[in-house]
Amino acid sequence: AAFNAPSTGYFTFTFNIGNSTFSMVSFDESNSTDYSSITLSGSASAQDVVMTQSTFDSHLWYANGIDLMSGTINFVDNAGGNWGNTNEFNGIATPNGGAIPITERNYNIWFNDLTGEYMIIPTF
């Protein structure tokens, strides 16, 4: 069956595979910033990569099929904020949270500016 939200807005969805349960908790985004751009910047790319904003969620950004070198990246918002972490493939980026290590290859990259969550997916 479909997962239906009890109201409009943002929710944190958690699924427990072990016991086949899920939960949806309302997420208060009332004090969040609506960024007009997010870029990938760092030594793993010869130039900044402009991420694409989702058409259905203004806080979700992606860049698909991106060739990166071994090095590091950060997410940079249009206000000059520099988001990072020290985990390579996924984690929660925080302002001034360090540089995300990258191994040379092609990636699909997703970033949520509400939660800071990111996924860096090798395309092999």
Side-chain angles (χ1 to χ4, degrees), residues 20-122:
S20 298
T21 61
F22 72 92
S23 66
M24 293 179 72
V25 178
S26 181
F27 184 93
D28 180 11
E29 45 71 51
S30 59
N31 291 322
S32 67
T33 301
D34 286 320
Y35 297 107
S36 59
S37 68
I38 299 284
T39 58
L40 295 171
S41 183
S43 64
S45 180
Q47 60 188 26
D48 288 352
V49 175
V50 177
M51 298 187 79
T52 301
Q53 189 176 40
S54 166
T55 57
F56 67 88
D57 182 346
S58 65
H59 297 286
L60 189 60
W61 301 83
Y62 65 93
N64 290 331
I66 304 301
D67 288 320
L68 295 175
M69 304 172 284
S70 292
T72 61
I73 61 168
N74 289 86
F75 301 100
V76 180
D77 63 53
N78 59 281
N82 188 337
W83 303 59
N85 190 319
T86 56
N87 294 337
E88 184 171 6
F89 294 111
N90 60 41
I92 298 175
T94 58
N96 303 313
I100 301 167
I102 296 292
T103 302
E104 183 174 359
R105 68 174 40 143
N106 187 276
Y107 294 96
N108 292 339
I109 300 173
W110 292 81
F111 176 64
N112 182 322
D113 69 43
L114 277 179
T115 64
E117 293 172 290
Y118 64 90
M119 292 189 337
I120 302 172
I121 305 163

